[in-house]
Amino acid sequence: MANLMNEFPEIDIKQDEPLMNYTYTHTGGPADWLAFPESVDQVKQLVDYVREHEMPLTVLGNASNLIVRDGGIDGLTIILTRLNKITVKDNQVIAQAGASYIDTTIVARDHSLTGLEFAAGIPGSIGGAVFMNAGAYGGETQFVVTDATVLLPDGTIKHFDNQGLDFGYRHSSVQDNHGIVLDATFTLKPGKHDEIKAKMDDLNERRAAKQPLDLPSCGSVFKRPKGYFAGKLIHDAGLQGYTHGGAQVSTKHAGFIVNIDHGTANDYLAVIHHVQETVKAKFGVDLETEVRIIGRD
Ligand SMILES: Cc1cc2nc3c(=O)[nH]c(=O)nc-3n(C[C@H](O)[C@H](O)[C@H](O)COP(=O)(O)OP(=O)(O)OC[C@H]3O[C@@H](n4cnc5c(N)ncnc54)[C@H](O)[C@@H]3O)c2cc1C
């Protein structure tokens, strides 16, 4: 097998690197190869390499919306968090894929630009937020993104406007074209710094009051089923506190599964399965995971 550290001496690459060191759940087995590109050119070099060598490729941002199975990930995994520049031009904020959504909201606030307040506490990266159409408190990424630059699997770089991103509930076209988001442009409106800050502070307080932010988790595990709230169904099924190994349905927010004691991805998957079975048996509702589950058993 080729040694990627020798192929790309200028890129920080690790072999058999445990992904539990990077995921928000603190679970997940090793990536065969884990790369931290620092420029678009480096991302492109890696993508060209895996295409030519028919190697599996996985792209991660802040790893706040996924469960990596305990067997780890085949081939090359790329973490984009070193591609994290945020620039402002008039009423537009342009953020690279690895920039944190939270930092991006702070930059918008400090330039008195309104529209991104809803994302003040979403712990993902910009790439992950576009990929997932992340949203909270009535706001969604799709309402503010007007352009995203995407590296497609064939090596071409293409701009997608809002329509081309085909946003839906926790969906964007990047999930279908298997591209890598390189950056996104947010078109905002001039606002008042103090009002923007007050709104962000309020949303963060509401989040801290409701969510178990002191424990590792991956946010809301399940999508909102039509006509229901996943958290309420789980609460009403008496599942809060249900524990398998080190993973537990949060006693603070029923939609979250927290890692209370060295839980593994298998523990998480067992809890997810139990919740799905119980809610189906009690209420006849299928809970679909919002969190992405990837990797080998
Ligand atoms: C405490 C907590 C609270 C949360 N609150 C919210 C919330 O209020 N609203 C909400 O929507 N989400 C929430 N989340 C979930 C998560 O933060 C979002 O889904 C976020 O958008 C994921 O971004 P990420 O960078 O962490 O993506 P990752 O978890 O790294 O990846 C998620 C998916 O996106 C893909 N991906 C990542 N980057 C790229 C890229 N550059 N190009 C192409 N694909 C990419 C990955 O391959 C993967 O399939 C929360 C999570 C936690 C832990």
Side-chain angles (χ1 to χ4, degrees):
M1 188 165 66
N3 183 328
L4 265 71
M5 291 186 285
N6 294 341
E7 297 282 342
F8 299 101
E10 72 288 1
I11 303 178
D12 184 6
I13 297 182
K14 298 178 196 302
Q15 188 174 10
D16 293 329
E17 177 71 3
L19 287 162
M20 64 186 296
N21 296 343
Y22 304 88
T23 58
Y24 262 67
T25 56
H26 297 188
T27 67
D32 290 351
W33 300 99
L34 182 65
F36 297 85
E38 292 182 15
S39 66
V40 168
D41 186 54
Q42 288 186 350
V43 178
K44 203 169 155 8
Q45 284 177 44
L46 292 166
V47 168
D48 288 344
Y49 182 89
V50 297
R51 189 179 57 254
E52 280 157 24
H53 292 78
E54 296 182 357
M55 195 185 245
L57 172 69
T58 304
V59 178
L60 304 184
N62 279 355
S64 67
N65 196 46
L66 41 88
I67 293 170
V68 176
R69 291 194 182 90
D70 295 320
I73 301 185
D74 280 331
L76 175 65
T77 300
I78 295 180
I79 290 193
L80 288 175
T81 48
R82 295 190 192 169
L83 220 69
N84 55 16
K85 267 198 216 94
I86 304 170
T87 49
V88 179
K89 199 168 170 274
D90 302 324
N91 62 338
Q92 292 191 318
V93 177
I94 302 120
Q96 282 190 308
S100 95
Y101 215 175
I102 292 174
D103 287 349
T104 309
T105 66
I106 291 170
V107 169
R109 179 197 71 195
D110 291 346
H111 284 77
S112 300
L113 291 170
T114 180
L116 262 187
E117 294 89 329
F118 74 90
I122 299 179
S125 68
I126 292 302
V130 171
F131 183 90
M132 292 299 299
N133 183 21
Y137 300 108
E140 284 183 37
T141 301
Q142 66 165 323
F143 301 149
V144 273
V145 165
T146 46
D147 179 275
T149 313
V150 179
L151 173 60
L152 293 168
D154 66 5
T156 55
I157 291 181
K158 204 174 152 189
H159 285 277
F160 287 86
D161 63 11
N162 183 282
Q163 246 189 338
L165 288 165
D166 191 28
F167 286 117
Y169 176 57
R170 301 293 174 263
H171 175 269
S172 72
S173 60
V174 192
Q175 293 176 18
D176 307 322
N177 64 28
H178 306 290
I180 300 177
V181 177
L182 296 174
D183 65 42
T185 300
F186 298 87
T187 301
L188 306 171
K189 291 199 173 83
K192 291 202 174 93
H193 178 273
D194 291 354
E195 286 174 13
I196 296 166
K197 182 174 182 311
K199 189 163 176 196
M200 286 168 61
D201 291 348
D202 174 50
L203 293 184
N204 277 333
E205 276 165 31
R206 283 159 64 179
R207 193 178 276 275
K210 274 200 175 156
Q211 299 182 357
L213 301 182
D214 51 332
L215 288 167
S217 81
C218 47
S220 294
V221 173
F222 301 101
K223 288 185 180 170
R224 199 173 51 233
K226 257 208 174 94
Y228 298 92
F229 288 101
K232 181 157 175 16
L233 291 170
I234 297 165
H235 169 84
D236 292 350
L239 286 165
Q240 279 186 277
Y242 173 81
T243 306
H244 183 105
Q248 180 178 74
V249 178
S250 167
T251 51
K252 191 168 179 184
H253 186 309
F256 280 51
I257 297 174
V258 288
N259 193 343
I260 52 166
D261 186 16
H262 303 93
T264 61
N266 269 337
D267 293 340
Y268 262 85
L269 297 178
V271 174
I272 289 173
H273 186 68
H274 180 74
V275 168
Q276 285 172 323
E277 298 266 292
T278 309
V279 167
K280 176 77 176 170
K282 288 207 164 156
F283 305 113
V285 178
D286 287 306
L287 287 182
E288 199 189 322
T289 48
E290 168 176 329
V291 62
R292 318 280 297 183
I293 299 164
I294 60 172
R296 53 197 171 206
D297 287 329

